[in-house]
Amino acid sequence: MNYGFVRAACISPDVTVADCTLNAQNIINKAFEANKKGAKIVVFPELCITSYTCGDLFFQKTLLNQAVEALKKIASATAKLDSLIFAGLPLAQTEGIYNVAAALFKGKVLAFIPKSFIPNYGEFYERRQFLPFTENMSVRWIEFADDELIPFGTDILIQDENNSDFCVACEICEDLWVPVPPSSRHILAGATVIANLSAGNEIIGKADYRRQLVKSHSGRSVCAYLYAAAGHGESSQDMVFAGHNMICENGTLLAESKPFENKDLYADIDVERLCQERRKSTSFGFSASKNSSVENYITIKIDLLEDSKKALKDNELLRFVDPLPFVPSDKEKRSERCLEVITLQAEGLAKRLRHINCNSAVLGLSGGLDSTLALLVTCTAFDLCKIDRAKITAITMPCFGTTDRTYNNACELAKECGVTLKEIRINDSVKSHFKDIGQDESVHDVTYENCQARERTQVLMDYANKTSGIVIGTGDLSELALGWCTYNGDHMSMYGVNSSVPKTLVRYLVEWFAIKNNSKVLKDILDTPVSPELLPPQNGTISQKTESLVGPYELHDFYLYYLLRFGFSPAKILYLACNCGLNYDRAEKLKWLKIFYRRFFSQQFKRSCMPDGAKVGTINLSPRGDWRMPSDASARIWLDELETLQ
């Protein structure tokens, strides 16, 4: 394991009904293949050693004995593999027969985990052959090969001795389909990974429900869920089996073999991510603290991840890492997300307008993406409040860096939206201020830039007072993270509608409006380079491009997501960035990551006094909401780690 990743496999081997020898060999072959591909945990289906569909043959002593002998053969053959293997078989005890999962590691049978809920309805009649293992039954020890005592029961955890966060428990098929699955207890006892050996048959519509069930349970339980289902070779006398395998993590489907695809399934689960999620959710921890059955669990420790310090190489990660984590990659879902975000933004502003009995708003309209989105959201909020859009005053304030393109787009957009446009040129007032403070107009430093930003904010604030309105902030989440705003300049407003919207999403939100309204001006705004336009243009075009100065926003948004959402280390964030498909080389990603950390820590003081603004996504930097950080915290340990990376 490295950075918390563990490779998992769910495999549906071909089976022959009641032929334990052939089935065992198929399982062994697949186990070797999986181990060669780096799988540390390999899950096979329910009763795969005998096949699930043996019916009353399960009462035959010959079949039961052969199943045990086949298990011994599998254990012996896989003794040199460093994979934790789960395989299903019938296991006879004095009182009856149990449907069990055997956990194997390096030639040893670690545990037998029996099925708790035995279906006896519809096409299932398992109660005819198998006994349930009920919740009030404690783990006991049974004799197996060479008089070895093996734990037998459901309350068993298998934990890696090198990393206690990797903790595996098991349940079987129907156990998941009941109101309170055994895995819910296992999770509260500390399991981060659940293996499910299944043999559910396939009928119309069942795959969709099964997928929804596994995803939902993994999300509610904040765990990885490995679901291996019976497939080819099972009897089709009365049922058909599809080998529908899934690997889910905290509600996300990492990998899936479609029904009847007969595909071995692999994915890298992120145990560190799961534990970070649990630690952030105090409700999860409180639920675990109330689990009175924890003391009944047996924990088996193994050296599964002994090579965890082995470095992972870029591009070998078997999971999808979204290069734009704030933006759905699916176009249909993206459109739904855009509508949802805009509605949240507009409803937040509408509540503020109603609360203060305000029917007027003022915002600075530059012709850039952020102010464009702020205007569109403000219009939506005014529509919700049934206030005439003419009560929105969009003020364009040309100065030294304003280009004809952005100026014309601002004017055209205000007209298209039906708001009141006011032009206030600030050149003279800024020059007067330069004179007051002794600033040389030819020196294009930070004072030169910030004087313009603060003059614009003063104009907006005072005009809002004049019209009994409020100033709508235009700054976005990405700018707040980097501190790419002028303190008490564009940093300040009376309500920030974009405050939890990252720059990468801003673009798609504006694009959504552009498509919806077939707007040419919005399409041109989308094509305009991101710039504060505080330096004079060159040959009439924008000379100051934000991303060439502070770095690509798609990288910074990626870094921000994994820093705040999961608290990952700089090394892991860089590794993920090198496995997500963003078109920058490693050196460039590292360069901007260093800048991101420096700016994120040094600019916290701007976030400590940011205006109100509703949270609309999973990340927010409001000191009253998601993020409470001292303004004078040191970035040393993060920057020191970055210096060790190449």
Side-chain angles (χ1 to χ4, degrees):
M1 184 175 73
N2 202 354
Y3 305 125
F5 294 114
V6 180
R7 185 155 299 170
C10 291
I11 296 173
S12 302
D14 287 347
V15 297
T16 300
V17 177
D19 191 335
C20 299
T21 302
L22 183 57
N23 294 340
Q25 190 57 54
N26 288 341
I27 291 168
I28 291 167
N29 293 343
K30 288 293 186 180
F32 270 84
E33 286 181 26
N35 184 261
K36 187 176 181 180
K37 292 180 180 179
K40 290 294 186 179
I41 177 169
V42 185
V43 185
F44 291 100
E46 178 181 11
L47 295 170
C48 57
I49 291 177
T50 57
S51 83
Y52 174 77
T53 48
C54 288
D56 284 349
L57 291 177
F58 285 123
F59 291 122
Q60 295 293 313
K61 185 69 173 177
T62 299
L63 183 65
L64 295 172
N65 288 345
Q66 284 298 306
V68 170
E69 291 304 312
L71 178 63
K72 293 178 183 177
K73 178 182 177 183
I74 295 168
S76 176
T78 59
K80 293 184 179 181
L81 303 184
D82 58 348
S83 301
L84 174 61
I85 300 168
F86 287 92
L89 74 156
L91 188 66
Q93 295 294 288
T94 303
E95 68 273 23
I97 305 170
Y98 291 92
N99 177 345
V100 306
L104 312 173
F105 183 64
K106 291 186 176 179
K108 298 283 187 180
V109 177
L110 301 179
F112 290 114
I113 300 97
K115 191 172 183 176
S116 297
F117 294 91
I118 310 296
N120 215 53
Y121 57 86
E123 60 268 43
F124 303 107
Y125 52 91
E126 287 182 37
R127 284 280 183 117
R128 181 180 174 93
Q129 294 101 20
F130 297 108
L131 291 176
F133 192 90
T134 60
E135 190 174 333
N136 60 359
M137 297 169 69
S138 59
V139 176
R140 65 179 190 254
W141 298 79
I142 63 173
E143 290 186 1
F144 188 58
D146 301 323
D147 297 325
E148 186 177 2
L149 292 177
I150 307 295
F152 175 90
T154 56
D155 294 353
I156 296 173
L157 302 176
I158 302 173
Q159 187 179 58
D160 178 59
E161 62 185 26
N162 300 288
N163 188 328
S164 60
D165 288 344
F166 183 72
C167 187
V168 185
C170 178
E171 64 186 3
I172 301 175
C173 198
E174 184 77 5
D175 292 346
L176 174 62
W177 299 67
V178 300
V180 184
S183 56
S184 294
R185 293 198 323 275
H186 306 336
I187 291 297
L188 295 177
T192 51
V193 180
I194 301 295
N196 185 311
L197 290 70
S198 179
N201 65 314
E202 204 63 41
I203 56 175
I204 294 171
K206 191 173 182 179
D208 288 339
Y209 182 80
R210 184 189 298 119
R211 185 184 303 108
Q212 181 183 23
L213 181 65
V214 174
K215 286 175 63 177
S216 174
H217 188 60
S218 75
R220 183 174 61 252
S221 304
V222 195
C223 72
Y225 203 95
L226 317 180
Y227 189 95
H232 283 199
E234 290 287 355
S235 172
S236 62
Q237 179 175 339
D238 295 298
M239 294 182 285
V240 176
F241 297 83
H244 184 198
N245 298 330
M246 288 171 281
I247 299 176
C248 286
E249 178 186 292
N250 194 23
T252 298
L253 187 65
L254 297 183
E256 175 184 22
S257 61
K258 296 178 181 178
F260 304 106
E261 191 176 21
N262 198 34
K263 175 185 175 183
D264 298 342
L265 200 63
Y266 294 87
D268 290 333
I269 57 177
D270 190 344
V271 177
E272 179 186 336
R273 180 171 176 164
L274 292 169
C275 291
Q276 289 288 83
E277 281 288 272
R278 290 183 178 187
R279 289 163 189 151
K280 284 182 68 177
S281 172
T282 53
S283 296
F284 183 94
F286 180 70
S287 298
S289 69
K290 294 179 68 176
N291 181 19
S292 59
S293 64
V294 172
E295 62 215 32
N296 301 324
Y297 274 78
I298 290 176
T299 300
I300 302 168
K301 295 197 174 185
I302 59 175
D303 60 345
L304 180 66
L305 307 176
E306 58 186 341
D307 61 346
S308 62
K309 293 183 179 180
K310 178 183 176 183
L312 285 171
K313 297 178 181 178
D314 294 347
N315 302 319
E316 72 174 12
L317 191 63
L318 290 184
R319 63 185 282 140
F320 173 68
V321 180
D322 198 332
L324 299 174
F326 292 108
V327 182
S329 54
D330 179 83
K331 286 187 176 181
E332 185 174 334
K333 290 182 179 178
R334 189 191 308 153
S335 180
E336 293 173 2
R337 176 71 56 81
C338 288
L339 175 59
E340 187 178 10
V341 170
I342 290 159
T343 301
L344 288 167
Q345 290 177 277
E347 288 288 354
L349 177 57
K351 164 62 179 176
R352 179 56 53 90
L353 293 169
R354 295 186 189 109
H355 177 68
I356 61 177
N357 194 28
C358 178
N359 64 358
S360 174
V362 175
L363 60 81
L365 191 61
S366 68
L369 282 171
D370 289 340
S371 64
T372 294
L373 177 60
L375 176 61
L376 295 169
V377 169
T378 303
C379 288
T380 306
F382 270 56
D383 292 346
L384 289 171
C385 294
K386 295 181 171 52
I387 304 172
D388 188 346
R389 288 189 181 187
K391 296 289 185 69
I392 302 170
T393 304
I395 303 180
T396 177
M397 293 169 278
C399 198
F400 311 127
T402 304
T403 61
D404 290 343
R405 181 180 187 180
T406 54
Y407 170 78
N408 291 332
N409 279 341
C411 296
E412 184 63 30
L413 180 62
K415 180 180 178 182
E416 186 172 285
C417 290
V419 304
T420 300
L421 176 67
K422 186 172 184 62
E423 180 179 325
I424 301 176
R425 292 190 173 269
I426 63 171
N427 305 55
D428 291 342
S429 56
V430 173
K431 288 179 180 179
S432 176
H433 187 55
F434 284 166
K435 183 178 179 181
D436 291 340
I437 66 173
Q439 170 70 16
D440 186 340
E441 189 180 334
S442 66
V443 178
H444 296 169
D445 57 6
V446 67
T447 305
Y448 178 91
E449 295 185 32
N450 286 347
C451 282
Q452 297 173 68
R454 291 196 179 101
E455 179 62 25
R456 285 178 171 134
T457 299
Q458 177 176 266
V459 169
L460 294 172
M461 292 287 183
D462 292 345
Y463 199 83
N465 290 158
K466 183 179 176 66
T467 58
S468 299
I470 62 171
V471 176
I472 307 300
T474 61
D476 62 46
L477 178 68
S478 308
E479 292 177 343
L480 282 166
L482 297 168
W484 192 251
C485 53
T486 299
Y487 190 83
N488 205 33
D490 54 321
H491 156 260
M492 192 48 60
S493 67
M494 296 172 184
Y495 195 83
V497 292
N498 295 341
S499 61
S500 67
V501 182
K503 186 75 79 176
T504 47
L505 183 56
V506 168
R507 178 170 295 279
Y508 286 98
L509 293 170
V510 173
E511 182 182 61
W512 182 84
F513 274 107
I515 294 171
K516 178 185 176 185
N517 300 307
N518 192 26
S519 170
K520 290 182 179 179
V521 64
L522 288 179
K523 290 176 182 177
D524 193 63
I525 289 170
L526 286 164
D527 290 337
T528 305
V530 177
S531 172
E533 290 195 321
L534 296 173
L535 295 180
Q538 294 178 352
N539 300 320
T541 61
I542 292 171
S543 63
Q544 187 183 23
K545 296 181 181 178
T546 297
E547 291 183 289
S548 65
L549 299 170
V550 77
Y553 274 117
E554 58 185 356
L555 279 179
H556 287 312
D557 282 358
F558 186 91
Y559 300 153
L560 177 66
Y561 178 80
Y562 285 103
L563 173 71
L564 263 61
R565 184 71 177 82
F566 301 108
F568 287 162
S569 68
K572 183 167 183 175
I573 293 174
L574 179 62
Y575 177 73
L576 289 170
C578 291
N579 281 276
C580 72
L582 287 172
N583 193 26
Y584 306 88
D585 62 34
R586 182 183 176 86
E588 196 171 5
K589 289 172 181 174
L590 179 57
K591 167 191 168 183
W592 294 119
L593 184 56
K594 290 177 180 178
I595 289 174
F596 171 81
Y597 271 98
R598 288 194 190 99
R599 294 195 65 96
F600 185 82
F601 275 81
S602 68
Q603 300 297 301
Q604 172 62 22
F605 73 99
K606 294 178 182 177
R607 302 189 287 268
S608 293
C609 58
M610 61 182 281
D612 289 356
K615 176 180 178 179
V616 300
T618 56
I619 305 297
N620 191 19
L621 286 169
S622 169
R624 301 167 299 277
D626 277 10
W627 191 245
R628 292 162 179 81
M629 171 184 168
S631 295
D632 47 9
S634 171
R636 177 178 295 278
I637 60 175
W638 288 269
L639 295 176
D640 284 350
E641 181 176 320
L642 284 166
E643 289 304 318
T644 67
L645 304 176
Q646 299 297 327

